[in-house]
Amino acid sequence: MRKQIAAANWKMNLTLQQAEALVDELLATPFSLNENQQAVFGVPFPYLIAIHNKFIGKNNCYVSAQNCYTKKSGAYTGETSVEMLTSIGITYVIIGHSERREFFNESNAMLAEKINCCLSNNLKPIFCCGEPLQIREAESQNSFVETQLKESLFHLTVEQITNFIIAYEPIWAIGTGKTASNEQAQQMHKHIRTVLANNYGLDVANTISILYGGSVKATNAGDIFAQPDVDGGLVGGASLVAADFAVIINSLKK
Ligand code: PGA
């Protein structure tokens, strides 16, 4: 069975004190993860070490960066390399979130470079894709997402793609309170899996976890995660409330 994953994306929120208090509260809240389930915490750069330390010894909990740079090292003031992240024990990085694509002009080609950097350093990418509202309204979401996958991922080998997590996040559902319906989520996740299967074979496609993101809440996580091709969620707003995120973790498929 594919890994079932509840991934938090804290974005640019919380002070260090608030972040530590959030983790303390979560760890004091009953939630459980079996060996096939994971909780991943997408944490702002300055808090990575502190939050990573809080999860040491906590089974199936991992810390993720929210971005990295395309180059290994050098004169790139203000950027963070993949090697820096692995050197502090980080295992995951969110790549290509729609906010980075929109506000920082990250193209599919640039994301391909970031992914290459991650994979050559054993950092697992959580690769985000998803369409804006006008594309959904034009019913072109399938080809839009397929192009995102092709241009950023399809140069990878079978071995490399199996290290992946994909997050489908329709942009019109992010932070809007407007979740994709269970059917819309399932249809797109199935489409993504079919596109992966066409390139890498069904066996490979069936091993890749595809998370849904966009207004996942404690109240709707169970229904969305129950869809056959939805393997958990990438959660923004609701991951900032310990009790809500604990419910979301407990909503993962067993
Ligand atoms: P949201 O954000 O859960 O607040 O909609 C999801 C995301 O952007 O990853």
Side-chain angles (χ1 to χ4, degrees), residues 128-148:
C128 301
C129 57
E131 79 285 355
L133 184 59
Q134 65 273 27
I135 295 287
R136 171 63 64 166
E137 284 173 346
E139 296 180 6
S140 305
Q141 67 272 10
N142 282 4
S143 59
F144 185 90
V145 168
E146 190 167 340
T147 301
Q148 290 181 319

Side-chain angles (χ1 to χ4, degrees), residues 197-217:
N198 290 343
N199 263 271
Y200 294 101
L202 189 59
D203 287 352
V204 172
N206 277 338
T207 64
I208 298 174
S209 301
I210 307 176
L211 316 185
Y212 169 79
S215 299
V216 173
K217 306 262 175 274

Side-chain angles (χ1 to χ4, degrees), residues 181-250:
S181 68
N182 299 333
E183 294 71 32
Q184 285 172 322
Q186 169 56 23
Q187 274 165 11
M188 179 57 85
H189 283 230
K190 189 161 179 41
H191 173 63
I192 291 172
R193 206 174 301 288
T194 304
V195 169
L196 291 168
N198 290 343
N199 263 271
Y200 294 101
L202 189 59
D203 287 352
V204 172
N206 277 338
T207 64
I208 298 174
S209 301
I210 307 176
L211 316 185
Y212 169 79
S215 299
V216 173
K217 306 262 175 274
T219 46
N220 61 18
D223 286 342
I224 298 175
F225 296 174
Q227 301 304 307
D229 285 288
V230 177
D231 307 309
L234 179 57
V235 187
S239 73
L240 299 171
V241 179
D244 288 359
F245 197 60
V247 170
I248 291 169
I249 293 173
N250 287 334

Side-chain angles (χ1 to χ4, degrees), residues 115 119 125 127 153 156 160-166 207-209:
I115 285 163
L119 294 176
F127 176 76
L153 306 189
L156 300 174
Q160 288 174 318
I161 199 94
T162 49
N163 275 318
F164 252 77
I165 297 173
I166 292 177
T207 64
I208 298 174
S209 301

